[in-house]
Structure formats: C-alpha cells, structure tokens
Amino acid sequence: MRKEILFSGFGGQGVILASVILGRAAAVYEGLYAVQTQAYGPESRGGASKAEVVISDEPIDYPKTLHPDCAVFFSQEAYNKYLHTVKEGARIIVEEELVPHRDAEFEKKLNVIALPLTEIAEETTGLSLTMNILTLGILTAWTGVVSREAIEKAVLDAVPKGTEEINLRALHKGFELGEKAKSGEL
C-alpha cells in the first residue's frame, strides 16, 4: 500500500503544515511509514508552495510523489502546474474561489470536490487561516488515508498553544464535509 498525496498553493496558506500534520498522523499515530517533502519559492508568503506526503505500510524507497492518489489545490498556479501529474481516478480537493479556471475535460477522469474552503473556514472558526486544517478533515473523512483519531492527535501536536479549539472546530467541519463527499452529496 503506497499512497501519494500532493498539497499545493502559495506561501501562507498552510500547505507545508498540512503535509507535516498528515505525515505525523501516519507515522506517529498509525504506525505506518511516511515521508514528507516540500518545495517553495523564495518568498515566504505569496510564492508557489508544494508539499508531498508518501505513506506506506512498508519502507519507502522513493520519497516523492510520482502520480498522486490525492491532491489539494489552493491556487490557480498550483492547479495549472500539478493537475496533470495526478493519476486517473485521483481524489482532488480544490479551493474553488482561488482556482476559477479549471480543466473540465481532464477532471472527468478524477474525483473532484471544489468548495470555497477559505470562506467555509472563516465561517466555521472566524479565521481563514484554518483552511488547511479544514481541508485535512475533508481529506481524512473522504479518503480514509489516516484515521480521524490520528489526524486529530497530529493537529493538536502541531498547532500553536491556545488555538487547539479553533483548529479542532475546523477539522471537525472538514470531517462533516468529507462524509458528504463520501456519500455523494458534494
């Protein structure tokens, strides 16, 4: 079992933090092998950002994603650059307000959820910054790549002290949306 997950967007959206949390959930709390890699532009905010997580039940021989099983696109630039790397049938989560121009033809070969993630995060927690945690909840509930318990513990390990409640609210809203996606409601 090898699962490849790609997170992409621009700096400041929590792309790298989301991938670190997912990798930790798999390795520390699920007892799986996990490797997280990242690449970003020289700008700390606003530049292109990509992070990859490979999860397996056996040692990982290559740490990068070849054809992601799941991908998250938080920006148009990321979508344009990485969409065509995903495997057919991949599960894709798109921040629809930040990715207005999509490849409808290519998406027919994929399972796509497109939601106003930033807006949902802001409505749920009052902070748009929790979009990445919301998305982890969607990804977890929709794909089962790690358990809810594992991702919850990993989120609590990673978020700043004093923000645990807000981040759990975002994660649980993501679980709710991921369940809707699983049952075909989204």
Side-chain angles (χ1 to χ4, degrees):
M1 182 273 313
R2 178 184 167 105
K3 293 286 180 200
E4 299 180 355
I5 302 96
L6 168 71
F7 293 89
S8 57
F10 51 80
Q13 290 180 303
V15 167
I16 292 168
L17 179 61
S19 69
V20 168
I21 291 170
L22 181 61
R24 178 187 294 255
V28 176
Y29 297 110
E30 297 281 13
L32 297 167
Y33 293 93
V35 178
Q36 183 271 342
T37 57
Q38 61 199 39
Y40 44 88
E43 314 87 347
S44 61
R45 294 203 180 272
S49 179
K50 169 178 91 159
E52 301 167 308
V53 181
V54 177
I55 299 170
S56 181
D57 56 358
E58 52 189 51
I60 297 167
D61 56 358
Y62 184 70
K64 300 278 207 177
T65 60
L66 299 170
H67 300 290
D69 302 283
C70 304
V72 174
F73 298 108
F74 288 154
S75 73
Q76 188 69 56
E77 180 186 1
Y79 180 92
N80 294 348
K81 192 170 184 177
Y82 303 117
L83 178 68
H84 293 276
T85 68
V86 303
K87 69 169 50 166
E88 193 168 319
R91 293 183 186 206
I92 308 299
I93 300 172
V94 177
E95 200 324 338
E96 71 179 2
E97 292 181 351
L98 298 176
V99 186
H101 308 291
R102 299 186 16 224
D103 185 338
E105 199 56 40
F106 190 76
E107 283 189 15
K108 288 179 184 174
K109 303 175 192 170
L110 310 170
N111 294 302
V112 181
I113 297 173
L115 295 168
L117 299 167
T118 307
E119 183 182 310
I120 294 167
E122 202 160 310
E123 288 170 2
T124 304
T125 66
L127 292 172
S128 60
L129 289 174
T130 57
M131 173 185 68
N132 60 338
I133 305 300
L134 171 87
T135 305
L136 280 173
I138 296 169
L139 183 73
T140 300
W142 189 31
T143 68
V145 68
V146 293
S147 71
R148 290 177 187 210
E149 297 77 22
I151 201 75
E152 197 167 292
K153 288 177 184 174
V155 165
L156 291 173
D157 286 348
V159 299
K161 296 295 171 218
T163 68
E164 297 92 345
E165 185 185 319
I166 286 172
N167 281 289
L168 285 180
R169 204 174 325 139
L171 186 68
H172 294 157
K173 179 65 175 181
F175 290 162
E176 183 186 309
L177 294 168
E179 281 301 321
K180 285 183 177 181
K182 208 156 111 177
S183 64
E185 293 176 53
L186 290 181

